[in-house]
Amino acid sequence: MTTTEQHHAIQQHHERILILDFGSQVTQLIARRVRESGTYCEIVPFNADPERIRAYAPKGIILSGSPASVSQEDAPQPPEIVFELGVPILGICYGEQVLVHRLGGRVEGSDHQEFGRAFLEVEADCALFDGVWQAGERHEVWMSHGDRVMALPEGFRVVATSEGAPFAAIADDSRRTYGVQFHPEVVHTPDGAALLRNFTRKVAGCSGDWSMAAFREEAIAKIREQVGDGKVICGLSGGVDSSVAAVLVHEAIGEQLTCIFVDHGLLRAGEGEQVEEVFRQNYNIPLVARDASDLFLGKLAGVSDPEEKRKIIGNTFIEVFDEEAHKLGGADYLVQGTLYPDVVESVSPSGGPSVTIKSHHNVGGLPERMKLKLVEPLRELFKDEVRDLGRELGLPESMVGRHPFPGPGLAIRIPGEVSRERCEILRKADTIYLDEIRRAGLYDAIWQAFAVLLPVKTVGVMGDSRSYDFVCALRAVTSTDGMTADSYPFDHAFLSRTATRIINEVRGINRVVYDVTSKPPGTIEWE
């Protein structure tokens, strides 16, 4: 039985929604909202094997958005099995259009496109709106479409309109089939999560039995079945994903697991010590800690190109990890903190952004010669769900709630050459910045905050002498999905206080700036 088959066997008793992905950049947000409603769901490509869809036995199906147009000759189409199962269907944006197109309606290009905020006029009640919107009301939504529905298939009725979409929401009550031209999954549609909850609970009839406690129990059983009496190793980074994966696997198989922690000299202040304290003292998990900072920093000396730096870090990490694994006498399995977005992007019908973004985040995979079978206990979870699982497992909030800090660590916060001196300067500035954020009670309100040591120096006057030192940039962003970001609106007093501390306490910095750049969907890291 494959890992996927084992997972499906364990999950079979959960009521499930299936999401067909037509290539939208926000398809994963649909899944997050559905799971937030207490219903388990998975994403598969629109061209998935029909028998796979049938075997999944969904209680409802959601058709995602897409950059495509149904009028294109090669436009992606849902397989016929979607309409044969007799389960409720919800089409979102392109999903509504392809639903209309397949069932005999008409979709056309339009001169009146809608991108961004729009206002919906609710024309009639329906199960999708129950308890959320009523006929006669006006509500804000988020649109992103060029084509629009012009004629409905038989059995459908209009339940909402907008200025650019005369069929902004449609319903076929007898077939429990609905379509919305807007995006309920994004936070820019304030009531969107409630509408999706209505679909899972009131339309599809799901009871909402998906919980992190249930996942924990099922994952432990799955790990035990997969591993048996094999030896398992886990590469700890100190981040949320590897920490949660390690504790979960240890709960399942105990001392069959050994963790390897490689300190590459690019960590934030105190992170190495925290890893050793949590895993050795709190959980008593067998842990090998290797200080390889001299090796990493030696290989990074003189290197400025960001991609080359990442490759050096990745290759060196593999080298050190392999050495430590051999000292243990080898292993049968490797624990990897793969998350659900990684899985989805690897099979996305549009290719997904993972190839570009993952080179930005990761330090590389292990070579095939190690011949280790993977244990990926988090591969069905989103980042916020991993944090919830960590709390369920009793990990300290200081670790579970930590801001994202990708594998290359300080190396991507130091554009240009990385040296021990520059790491120390940045580490001190970053510590002060995060300390001030915590003192202000803002840490949990910010998705990610960090300091950057810019590869430029400026002349400054400090007291009665002139200095020629680095510029430090501060960044803080808010995000609900890890895909889009807005700069955090610190007040002037906070920025002034933080900048003063950094300049006074960190030798080597004489100027501090704040980055107010926001990011559209995509990577929200520095480089």
Side-chain angles (χ1 to χ4, degrees), residues 29 38 73 96 128 138 168 224 260 391 456 460 487 493 496 498:
L29 296 186
E73 186 175 339
E96 180 197 54
L128 198 63
R138 189 170 189 257
R224 288 172 178 164
I260 299 174
R391 295 181 182 102
V456 293
S487 57
S496 177
T498 303

Side-chain angles (χ1 to χ4, degrees), residues 166-432:
F167 302 97
I170 59 175
D172 182 333
D173 305 283
S174 63
R175 283 191 284 188
R176 297 182 296 166
T177 300
Y178 301 85
V180 293
Q181 188 60 74
F182 57 92
H183 286 272
E185 68 272 29
V186 301
V187 295
H188 307 80
T189 299
D191 298 318
L195 298 179
L196 287 169
R197 182 184 177 90
N198 272 352
F199 179 74
T200 63
R201 297 292 193 89
K202 297 184 178 180
V203 177
C206 296
S207 62
D209 64 346
W210 168 249
S211 70
M212 205 44 64
F215 176 87
R216 173 185 180 179
E217 179 183 342
E218 292 160 0
I220 287 171
K222 174 182 166 184
I223 293 165
R224 288 172 178 164
E225 181 178 357
Q226 180 187 2
V227 169
D229 59 0
K231 293 177 63 176
V232 184
I233 55 174
C234 173
L236 272 181
S237 68
V240 177
D241 304 338
S242 66
S243 299
V244 172
V247 172
L248 180 64
V249 171
H250 182 257
E251 187 166 310
I253 60 172
E255 294 195 357
Q256 290 172 243
L257 170 71
T258 299
C259 292
I260 299 174
F261 171 62
V262 178
D263 184 349
H264 43 47
L266 303 168
L267 298 170
R268 283 175 162 167
E271 286 189 330
E273 293 82 355
Q274 184 188 32
V275 168
E276 294 198 46
E277 178 183 351
V278 169
F279 287 89
R280 281 196 172 128
Q281 297 180 25
N282 294 16
Y283 285 94
N284 198 29
I285 296 176
L287 174 66
V288 174
R290 166 82 176 271
D291 182 353
S293 55
D294 287 342
L295 177 64
F296 278 84
L297 293 171
K299 291 189 175 186
L300 288 170
V303 179
S304 297
D305 179 75
E307 281 302 323
E308 188 177 352
K309 286 192 291 185
R310 293 183 186 103
K311 289 176 182 176
I312 289 171
I313 294 167
N315 291 336
T316 308
F317 177 85
I318 291 169
E319 174 188 326
V320 174
F321 190 90
D322 196 12
E323 287 177 7
E324 296 302 323
H326 273 90
K327 291 178 185 177
L328 294 171
D332 305 298
Y333 295 89
L334 170 70
V335 177
Q336 189 162 291
T338 306
L339 302 190
Y340 195 50
D342 304 322
V343 177
V344 173
E345 287 174 356
S346 70
V347 295
S348 169
S350 60
S354 58
V355 172
T356 301
I357 295 177
K358 297 311 173 190
S359 74
H360 184 92
H361 284 196
N362 293 344
V363 295
L366 295 176
E368 289 187 11
R369 60 182 168 76
M370 293 186 73
K371 301 188 184 307
L372 295 173
K373 291 168 275 191
L374 290 180
V375 178
E376 299 175 301
L378 310 179
R379 65 180 283 116
E380 287 88 32
L381 300 183
F382 289 100
K383 188 77 171 188
D384 55 336
E385 293 173 325
V386 174
R387 295 187 194 280
D388 290 342
L389 178 59
R391 295 181 182 102
E392 177 75 25
L393 291 165
L395 274 162
E397 189 61 32
S398 59
M399 184 170 280
V400 174
R402 178 178 294 166
H403 291 172
F405 193 58
L410 295 179
I412 61 170
R413 310 286 192 251
I414 304 176
E417 183 181 358
V418 177
S419 67
R420 187 177 295 278
E421 177 191 14
R422 292 185 179 187
C423 285
E424 284 304 314
I425 291 171
L426 178 57
R427 198 174 279 119
K428 290 175 182 177
D430 191 70
T431 299
I432 292 170

Side-chain angles (χ1 to χ4, degrees), residues 46-177:
F46 72 90
N47 54 0
D49 185 343
E51 286 310 308
R52 178 184 177 187
I53 295 174
R54 186 189 302 278
Y56 188 80
K59 292 208 68 175
I61 295 175
I62 298 177
L63 311 180
S64 84
S66 173
S69 168
V70 294
S71 60
Q72 296 172 348
E73 186 175 339
D74 58 347
Q77 298 287 330
E80 196 61 38
I81 186 69
V82 168
F83 306 100
E84 294 173 349
L85 291 175
V87 299
I89 301 172
L90 171 62
I92 295 175
C93 195
Y94 178 87
E96 180 197 54
Q97 295 170 4
V98 77
L99 192 64
V100 168
H101 177 74
R102 282 291 295 273
L103 296 178
R106 190 172 82 254
V107 179
E108 296 179 357
S110 171
D111 293 332
H112 193 140
Q113 303 176 98
E114 283 184 303
F115 293 95
R117 182 178 291 105
F119 289 90
L120 213 68
E121 304 291 342
V122 181
E123 306 290 340
D125 296 330
C126 73
L128 198 63
F129 297 168
D130 188 32
V132 183
W133 292 344
Q134 293 182 349
E137 294 180 344
R138 189 170 189 257
H139 292 278
E140 181 180 329
V141 297
W142 189 261
M143 292 282 193
S144 181
H145 68 98
D147 294 354
R148 65 179 181 180
V149 175
M150 298 302 294
L152 293 180
E154 184 177 349
F156 280 85
R157 62 190 177 96
V158 179
V159 292
T161 63
S162 72
E163 184 178 348
F167 302 97
I170 59 175
D172 182 333
D173 305 283
S174 63
R175 283 191 284 188
R176 297 182 296 166
T177 300

